[in-house]
Amino acid sequence: GSRRFGSIFKFVVMALFGASSGSFSALPASSTPLFGGSPAAAPSQIINVPGFFCELNGTMTPLSFPRPVIPTPADDGIEPAPGDDITAPNAVTAARLNRVVCVGTANVGYSDAAKDTNVLPSSLEYDATICEGTQAGRYGLNLRVCLEYSSTFPSEGMVVWLKKHLQFINDEKLSQLVLIDTAFEDWVEGSRWVPITTDIRYTEEAEAVVQAVITSDSGQTAGKVSTKEFTVDAKLGPVGSKGRMVLTYYCDNLYSYAEMHAGGSADNHRRAQLVPISFQLPWAAIDNPGIQCNIRIRVQAPPGTVLLDPAQNIMAYADLQRSLAEPTRQSSSIAGTEHQCAVIPSALENAAAMAWHFSRATLPPKPTMVLAWLSVPDSDSDWDLLQMDLPKVTSAMLLQPTAEDERLLRVGFPGNQSGQLYRCTVRTEAPARQPTAVRIHTDIVISDASGSTGMRSRSTVGGTVRANFNKHEERRVMKRLEAIPKLCEAGVLFPQDIWRTHFVVFDHDVRHEFGFESKVQDLDSATVAALANALQPVPDVTATAHLQSSGKQGLLTSLSQALASLRSVQPGGTTSFVKGAQRAASSYKQQSKLPGNVEYTTFVNFDTDGGNNCGPCFDAITKLVKDADVVQGHVMGIGSWVDQDCASKVAAILKGSAELVMDFPEDAAEDQHFRADLSRWIKVLRSSPVSVKCSAGSHVWTARHGQRHENALECIFVSGHGVRFGEPDVSELMYTKSTIRGLMAGDMVTLYIISRLPFHELARELKIEVAGIRATVRSGAETMQGIALGHHWLSLVGGKLPETFSSNSSSLCSRLRNRIEDDLSFSWNIPSTSGSTAALGRANTENRPPVSKERQPLEPEPPEIVMEQDSTVSGRGGAGFGGKGAMVGLFGARPAVGMFGAAPRPGGSVGSLPRPGKRAGSFGARATAASCFGAAGAVSDAVSASPFGAPAATSQCFGAAAGGGVAAGGGFWGNQKRRGGKGSTFGVPAAPPKQEPASPTALLKSSRYMQYGHPEAPMAAASRGIKAVGVLAQYAVQSINMLAPPPEDPLVATVLGNSKPAQPSIEAVHHGFRCDSSQQTPIVGPRFKSTSTLDTDLTESARRSGNLAGGSGYRIIATRADAMRMALAAIISWWWLLWPDQGGMFGQLTIAHGSVHDELATQNEAWLVQSISVITSLPLSQP
């Protein structure tokens, strides 16, 4: 159960004034650090990650663990070279981090009250599911975002109009978050949500229907959503007290990379991919009413997924924190002393799958994200134990969707003909080889011999990394040598085939190049056995004599020289993957090609202990794959300096996998490694260049002139590395065959088919041919289901194709593409990316006053995306958190005061009187403007201060600029246009249409890291806000002590009649606050406070009439006690961010974070004042 606040704050007062306030303890240390070392680390070995917290049962614990012992080359006196990756194992940079950022603008209109701009949501939810992506080895994301908007006038009808940016998933622009589904909800009868599902309509029709519902008393609520120019456009109304917009997104390619393990035994050999993803939370000053916003994050992942253990990977978390802080030091948009906070969510109990969650009743007072750093088990081990005696044949799997999905994938052909969309996976295998065919197979070993390979191994293997590479690579060669006779027996290799092995040893340049080759016929079982004995460090004399007598002396000599060269390799200088890859490619091309029917295959082993120091290594690897007939490759990374991102990307280019460990494997783990390597190698030996032809005969239908023959299927897309469509095969008169080139036998491709035949007939007629041999076709269940499948097809037809996809231009002309796009958009209820269709929904809700066209919200203008080079706006705005400018701009912050007021000007004191002709400032506040609960500061008289707000006529919602008067639109967590019409930041011409979605960093900069309210540095906002809350408490003390009038004698009523209605309660009279529109003071009844300015207060009549005095995003403050409860709720929910060293006091709080408002509602004003007085005495912790 939760403690009551009274006892909690009694303890707080005792701790502050009578007892010591103990420090907040860190999470318990791991008893067995991953990389060794004493579990009981000395205090100097504790790693604290500033601003990072672990959340458990509502409590956030600062991220702090003992430093693990991580062996590095520096332990052996080897200094890192420029470009070396010396971050911790498993670290990720901010640019690669998958980041969800919700940035947009919302405006509202009412049936009677004046419209408003820059309206903030009252609730924000992220519900994310990590799933398998559309490409092998990739991960996708299903994301549900729920934005809730509460009405300032719940008795009226309200219309909400939102425009929100679409985004890339990370700064490397790996993939987009694409809108795939939309729904709305309306709160009715004060007790339940009415769901409003949507159907796709053409955009013009959807807008007309929504307008008809909004402007009539139909008892309905309607909403519509469309996407255009990478912006989501959503409108909902009329709603009563509150309404929701539910947007579902899909991303088909999250950033992931191979996880590094400790190495050693097989127990530490868990193969996994790391998928780091964060969810940015909005933030606001403690005194901004916009801070009252419920947030909830839920993340679900595949079975077996775990969070990257902070105890074992504390250094990786610390490196991420530094990477997140780096842009703030380089950019003028954020103060260099500030950093972003991060919360690691807690596991969700009783979840059907692996899930984590985080929730709070208020926003954080600093930029904060929820970080889920997932370790997902690798579902594809990348190797099979192949049976040598079973010849392989090409197989195809025609994937049948569920009955519902199949119905939704039905599209139209010209001539009133219908077609069906299917996917078909094809696993190619080379046809039986001709006895006279020759294969030349080359094993290329690109081996790192940089200086860091001089590090000594800490495992029982011993020796330096380079010495162990020499042993490992020698054993790999010998394993393959031993396999060749068995491969001959199985028919994989023929006697006339040639096996070559080519070593390229590099550091910053090529240091050694050597190799050998042999005809397979020379490697019979007896010869291989003799070679194995003769090539030992101490050669077997008998074996050597046998090879000499059998005429194999030349073979023995070439192998002996190659292995001797390998054994002699020593560590060198810096590292350049480029040099090694370029030399391997050029040497391969220099080898003469043999005439006749010759097949060429290459397998690449890339062995390294670091990363690429210089040069475009990915381009060099890509060229190697193209020039050297590379079928597949494998990356082996050893040690803490391995660049995991680089290794993972090199492996992807090589069409293989990466294995990253801290040290060389031992015993069973080493045996498992070589078995996997040998299986990958054999798979490549089975491979050869192939082309695939796809057809299903002809389909006959009747037109006006008679029968027509059409292709029964068209293959319109293919997915696979390097694949492309060739000219159609016209060998048959009545139909053509799609031809796909660029494959190697062993590759798996996915065909995207539009068929005129039903599934079972297609499965019978489908012909997949490889080198003229028909493949075996089976049917199976479609692996993708539901909205993800529909979105996948629509994104291919209507969007930009991923790099691994190719389109068949001879079949998929533009008119057919548009036709399919419309069919899929309508069937799946997904708005088209072109904006031609929109999602429309309506439902019976309640009879509400209609909202006329004139009273509907102005068109919102989403924040202008600020490019890296445009992080400052000279002459128009300030220079970032704490920056200054000619006027308050997109990032400009000026010295200002906030809700409840801030520091008094010199000479002021509590209870000081206002100067003549100026506004009243509570408790020594500036005389230039009345502040909510007291104003602040020694700033110019043109700047004003306020509770829950920002400066009047100087800045707008979410760091936007206003031009005075009523602003026309808002910047939702970003900029704001000036008055009148549709415009852009500071009233300059609107930016040209976007050519692509925004990157997370661009969104964060444009929105000041999703800040609600006036531009301020986080610590400055926190300091000012806490002071303002203190001033409010001081004013409340005076108000509480005001004497109430004596009670009336009952006989008075008999003489004078009944009394007039009672005056508003003392709490509802806002003494010291002047309405910025009517100049009424004090404000009696509810006070309306702008969330976008620091000092704009209105009476209810002024707010209703639309005299907004330059403010926007107004929220209602009924009483002084309500304002104090708002601030206390935020403090209680997020005290860890402001006072992490005050765990002795706040650590006693056991109130469930979801019930903080209910708990505070039971406390009277005197209790609130006492609590605030204690808290505001605490010094804030500096970042």
Side-chain angles (χ1 to χ4, degrees):
S2 60
R3 297 177 184 268
R4 300 300 296 175
F5 278 0
S7 61
I8 294 167
F9 279 93
K10 179 180 179 181
F11 174 81
V12 170
V13 173
M14 291 178 60
L16 186 65
F17 298 107
S20 62
S21 56
S23 61
F24 193 37
S25 61
L27 285 173
S30 171
S31 59
T32 55
L34 178 62
F35 302 116
S38 171
S44 61
Q45 295 178 300
I46 297 297
I47 299 298
N48 300 302
V49 184
F52 274 47
F53 303 87
C54 289
E55 202 263 357
L56 181 63
N57 298 326
T59 298
M60 297 200 305
T61 305
L63 195 59
S64 178
F65 286 101
R67 177 193 293 270
V69 177
I70 304 176
T72 73
D75 298 337
D76 296 312
I78 302 169
E79 296 297 325
D84 274 336
D85 181 9
I86 57 174
T87 58
N90 297 322
V92 68
T93 64
R96 294 165 185 153
L97 177 67
N98 300 297
R99 307 176 81 169
V100 175
V101 185
C102 185
V103 174
T105 301
N107 296 339
V108 298
Y110 296 94
S111 53
D112 184 47
K115 63 189 70 175
D116 197 0
T117 59
N118 309 317
V119 175
L120 307 178
S122 56
S123 177
L124 171 63
E125 297 182 6
Y126 296 120
D127 198 339
T129 300
I130 311 300
C131 56
E132 291 187 10
T134 56
Q135 302 176 53
R138 306 287 179 87
Y139 297 94
L141 169 69
N142 282 300
L143 175 68
R144 177 182 175 273
V145 178
C146 179
L147 291 161
E148 182 179 308
Y149 292 91
S150 296
S151 175
T152 306
F153 306 103
S155 62
E156 299 185 18
M158 178 180 73
V159 177
V160 183
W161 191 353
L162 166 71
K163 284 195 175 183
K164 178 182 172 298
H165 286 296
L166 292 174
Q167 68 162 96
F168 285 109
I169 195 60
N170 68 1
D171 287 346
E172 292 191 344
K173 301 181 180 180
L174 186 64
S175 186
Q176 301 177 22
L177 271 175
V178 182
L179 183 69
I180 62 172
D181 199 12
T182 303
F184 302 96
E185 296 179 8
D186 189 8
W187 185 253
V188 301
E189 300 173 357
S191 60
R192 62 189 177 91
W193 288 102
V194 172
I196 304 174
T197 57
T198 59
D199 295 321
I200 287 295
R201 296 287 187 270
Y202 286 111
T203 300
E204 295 81 1
E205 176 191 358
E207 179 62 30
V209 172
V210 169
Q211 282 299 318
V213 171
I214 290 173
T215 57
S216 65
D217 185 13
S218 63
Q220 300 177 14
T221 300
K224 68 102 179 175
V225 172
S226 62
T227 58
K228 189 174 182 180
E229 296 177 359
F230 304 103
T231 300
V232 175
D233 185 328
K235 186 180 290 187
L236 174 65
V239 297
S241 60
K242 52 188 176 182
R244 287 175 174 171
M245 296 179 175
V246 184
L247 308 173
T248 302
Y249 299 86
Y250 180 73
C251 173
D252 65 355
N253 189 9
L254 293 175
Y255 173 73
S256 62
Y257 58 104
E259 182 175 359
M260 175 169 283
H261 296 281
S265 67
D267 294 338
N268 290 326
H269 214 65
R270 176 182 182 266
R271 289 280 300 279
Q273 290 285 310
L274 293 178
V275 184
I277 185 168
S278 69
F279 303 86
Q280 192 73 30
L281 305 180
W283 70 278
I286 292 292
D287 57 343
N288 190 316
I291 205 168
Q292 298 301 302
C293 176
N294 290 297
I295 55 175
R296 187 185 75 89
I297 295 91
R298 185 176 186 271
V299 183
Q300 184 172 317
T305 301
V306 297
L307 289 180
L308 185 67
D309 187 354
Q312 297 182 342
N313 294 275
I314 187 67
M315 302 301 294
Y317 282 90
D319 282 337
L320 174 59
Q321 186 277 325
R322 283 188 286 270
S323 180
L324 290 167
E326 187 64 26
T328 72
R329 290 190 286 268
Q330 297 178 353
S331 171
S332 59
S333 64
I334 300 189
T337 58
E338 310 264 0
H339 56 70
Q340 176 160 226
C341 300
V343 180
I344 301 171
S346 57
L348 189 61
E349 297 180 1
N350 301 321
M354 308 303 299
W356 297 265
H357 73 119
F358 179 83
S359 62
R360 283 292 185 273
T362 70
L363 300 182
K366 289 183 177 182
T368 303
M369 66 182 184
V370 174
L371 173 64
W373 205 332
L374 305 175
S375 172
V376 185
D378 198 341
S379 59
D380 182 4
S381 63
D382 270 333
W383 64 282
D384 303 306
L385 288 179
L386 303 179
Q387 299 182 42
M388 302 299 178
D389 55 344
L390 295 179
K392 293 276 187 172
V393 296
T394 296
S395 61
M397 177 74 75
L398 183 64
L399 304 178
Q400 183 175 23
T402 64
E404 178 63 14
D405 289 348
E406 191 170 18
R407 181 181 65 82
L408 299 176
L409 288 172
R410 190 171 299 132
V411 296
F413 274 118
N416 199 29
Q417 300 296 301
S418 64
Q420 193 73 43
L421 299 176
Y422 296 110
R423 298 197 308 154
C424 179
T425 60
V426 179
R427 187 178 295 274
T428 62
E429 291 293 340
R433 296 180 60 191
Q434 298 299 317
T436 57
V438 176
R439 176 191 296 274
I440 299 180
H441 175 79
T442 304
D443 290 330
I444 296 178
V445 181
I446 304 176
S447 188
D448 187 346
S450 58
S452 56
T453 60
M455 186 185 82
R456 292 178 294 106
S457 173
R458 266 58 177 181
S459 71
T460 58
V461 174
T464 65
V465 170
R466 184 59 249 177
N468 282 297
F469 269 143
N470 296 346
K471 295 176 183 177
H472 192 85
E473 289 163 1
E474 179 176 343
R475 186 177 177 190
R476 182 195 293 151
V477 169
M478 297 307 296
K479 288 286 184 183
R480 294 176 182 178
L481 177 65
E482 293 169 6
I484 286 179
K486 297 179 181 179
L487 293 172
C488 283
E489 294 175 10
V492 176
L493 292 176
F494 287 171
Q496 64 269 25
D497 292 339
I498 297 174
W499 175 44
R500 293 171 174 167
T501 297
H502 182 204
F503 283 87
V504 178
V505 181
F506 69 94
D507 49 13
H508 57 276
D509 204 343
V510 176
R511 296 186 54 220
H512 304 281
E513 188 175 16
F514 51 88
F516 61 89
E517 72 174 59
S518 173
K519 284 188 175 181
V520 171
Q521 66 187 12
D522 293 332
L523 297 174
D524 56 87
S525 299
T527 299
V528 167
L531 285 170
N533 292 323
L535 293 172
Q536 295 294 322
V538 180
D540 183 281
V541 177
T542 303
T544 302
H546 171 75
L547 292 169
Q548 292 174 342
S549 62
S550 59
K552 304 294 178 62
Q553 179 63 50
L555 178 60
L556 174 61
T557 300
S558 63
L559 277 166
S560 297
Q561 291 175 347
L563 294 183
S565 298
L566 178 60
R567 292 164 183 167
S568 66
V569 175
Q570 297 294 323
T574 57
T575 313
S576 172
F577 288 3
V578 177
K579 296 296 185 180
Q582 288 178 340
R583 176 62 64 85
S586 63
S587 296
Y588 184 89
K589 290 180 68 175
Q590 290 173 7
Q591 301 210 18
S592 59
K593 296 283 187 177
L594 298 181
N597 183 19
V598 180
E599 299 173 351
Y600 294 88
T601 57
T602 300
F603 185 88
V604 176
N605 284 100
F606 203 108
D607 301 331
T608 181
D609 78 324
N612 181 57
N613 288 111
C614 55
C617 75
F618 301 137
D619 292 343
I621 300 295
T622 300
K623 192 172 188 304
L624 169 67
V625 171
K626 179 181 179 181
D627 293 347
D629 300 311
V630 175
V631 178
Q632 196 181 35
H634 182 72
V635 176
M636 181 177 181
I638 303 292
S640 61
W641 282 8
V642 170
D643 185 332
Q644 289 167 258
D645 172 75
C646 183
S648 299
K649 289 177 178 176
V650 168
I653 296 171
L654 293 174
K655 298 179 281 187
S657 58
E659 183 177 6
L660 311 178
V661 291
M662 285 294 298
D663 214 330
F664 282 90
E666 309 169 18
D667 305 330
E670 185 181 35
D671 179 70
Q672 183 184 27
H673 168 85
F674 281 116
R675 293 174 70 88
D677 178 82
L678 192 62
S679 187
R680 284 187 288 261
W681 181 70
I682 294 173
K683 180 179 178 181
V684 171
L685 291 178
R686 290 183 181 275
S687 184
S688 62
V690 294
S691 62
V692 173
K693 294 182 180 180
C694 176
S695 65
S698 66
H699 176 75
V700 180
W701 63 284
T702 303
R704 180 190 62 83
H705 64 287
Q707 288 188 334
R708 290 177 55 107
H709 290 265
E710 307 283 359
N711 291 336
L713 70 79
E714 302 285 356
C715 184
I716 55 178
F717 301 108
V718 62
S719 171
H721 289 282
V723 296
R724 65 188 185 280
F725 281 96
E727 295 296 323
D729 183 324
V730 295
S731 58
E732 299 290 339
L733 181 62
M734 296 302 179
Y735 63 92
T736 62
K737 303 176 183 180
S738 298
T739 303
I740 301 159
R741 304 189 184 279
L743 290 87
M744 295 293 293
D747 287 349
M748 190 176 84
V749 296
T750 301
L751 310 181
Y752 290 73
I753 293 170
I754 179 170
S755 170
R756 289 179 168 86
L757 305 178
F759 182 83
H760 294 294
E761 187 175 346
L762 176 63
R764 184 175 63 251
E765 299 297 333
L766 179 61
K767 297 178 182 177
I768 305 291
E769 301 171 83
V770 176
I773 299 177
R774 186 170 178 176
T776 301
V777 177
R778 296 176 295 137
S779 59
E782 170 63 76
T783 55
M784 299 180 67
Q785 294 185 7
I787 195 72
L789 177 61
H791 160 263
H792 180 55
W793 273 102
L794 185 60
S795 65
L796 294 178
V797 174
K800 182 180 178 181
L801 288 178
E803 291 183 359
T804 56
F805 279 75
S806 179
S807 173
N808 189 354
S809 58
S810 65
S811 297
L812 190 63
C813 63
S814 60
R815 293 178 66 89
L816 180 59
R817 182 190 290 267
N818 293 339
R819 185 175 191 140
I820 295 174
E821 181 184 20
D822 281 355
D823 284 345
L824 291 174
S825 178
F826 276 79
S827 295
W828 288 93
N829 277 327
I830 304 174
S832 64
T833 56
S834 64
S836 62
T837 62
L840 168 68
R842 56 190 176 118
N844 291 320
T845 51
E846 291 179 320
N847 288 97
R848 300 187 179 105
V851 182
S852 66
K853 185 73 173 177
E854 295 73 23
R855 291 192 173 275
Q856 290 179 27
L858 297 167
E859 181 177 357
E861 185 73 17
E864 181 180 352
I865 300 302
V866 177
M867 298 290 103
E868 293 293 328
Q869 62 271 25
D870 299 325
S871 59
T872 59
V873 186
S874 176
R876 294 192 180 98
F881 285 165
K884 299 180 180 179
M887 61 181 287
V888 176
L890 183 61
F891 296 116
R894 78 171 62 185
V897 268
M899 158 196 170
F900 318 120
R905 60 187 295 135
S909 62
V910 173
S912 63
L913 297 176
R915 293 188 295 166
K918 303 292 184 179
R919 294 179 57 193
S922 301
F923 305 121
R926 287 184 300 100
T928 58
S931 111
C932 168
F933 314 130
V939 291
S940 69
D941 290 346
V943 183
S944 56
S946 102
F948 297 128
T954 56
S955 76
Q956 280 295 330
C957 180
F958 313 126
V966 179
F972 186 64
W973 310 319
N975 62 297
Q976 161 73 28
K977 56 187 175 180
R978 293 176 67 97
R979 67 183 338 185
K982 184 178 178 181
S984 63
T985 312
F986 315 115
V988 299
K994 291 186 297 181
Q995 300 301 313
E996 63 179 15
S999 69
T1001 290
L1003 289 174
L1004 291 171
K1005 286 186 175 183
S1006 297
S1007 63
R1008 294 179 56 82
Y1009 280 65
M1010 290 177 62
Q1011 182 188 6
Y1012 281 10
H1014 175 69
E1016 294 179 280
M1019 285 304 298
S1023 178
R1024 179 194 54 74
I1026 294 300
K1027 291 178 181 178
V1029 175
V1031 172
L1032 170 62
Q1034 295 173 20
Y1035 176 72
V1037 170
Q1038 293 186 350
S1039 299
I1040 292 172
N1041 293 332
M1042 295 176 61
L1043 295 176
E1048 183 182 88
D1049 190 296
L1051 294 177
V1052 174
T1054 63
V1055 178
L1056 302 178
N1058 293 327
S1059 63
K1060 295 179 180 180
Q1063 295 296 315
S1065 68
I1066 295 176
E1067 288 189 1
V1069 178
H1070 302 271
H1071 291 284
F1073 297 99
R1074 186 189 304 273
C1075 174
D1076 285 281
S1077 174
S1078 67
Q1079 306 305 311
Q1080 174 185 328
T1081 184
I1083 294 177
V1084 179
R1087 178 166 56 89
F1088 289 80
K1089 181 56 57 180
S1090 167
T1091 59
S1092 65
T1093 57
L1094 284 177
D1095 184 23
T1096 310
D1097 305 292
L1098 299 177
T1099 61
E1100 183 174 3
S1101 61
R1103 169 63 191 87
R1104 283 185 173 277
S1105 64
N1107 297 317
L1108 303 185
S1112 62
Y1114 280 88
R1115 292 251 177 122
I1116 187 171
I1117 302 174
T1119 67
R1120 295 188 309 271
D1122 284 349
M1124 289 189 286
R1125 290 187 180 103
M1126 291 179 188
L1128 280 173
I1131 290 170
I1132 292 168
S1133 298
W1134 295 97
W1135 65 265
W1136 297 271
L1137 274 60
L1138 302 176
W1139 299 282
D1141 54 347
Q1142 293 295 335
M1145 292 194 312
F1146 291 101
Q1148 298 298 309
L1149 292 170
T1150 58
I1151 298 167
H1153 45 268
S1155 62
V1156 62
H1157 290 294
D1158 295 336
E1159 296 280 0
L1160 285 169
T1162 65
Q1163 304 302 328
N1164 59 30
E1165 190 173 25
W1167 184 92
L1168 298 172
V1169 168
Q1170 181 187 19
S1171 302
I1172 288 174
S1173 299
V1174 172
I1175 292 174
T1176 54
S1177 301
L1178 301 174
L1180 291 174
S1181 299
Q1182 295 300 314

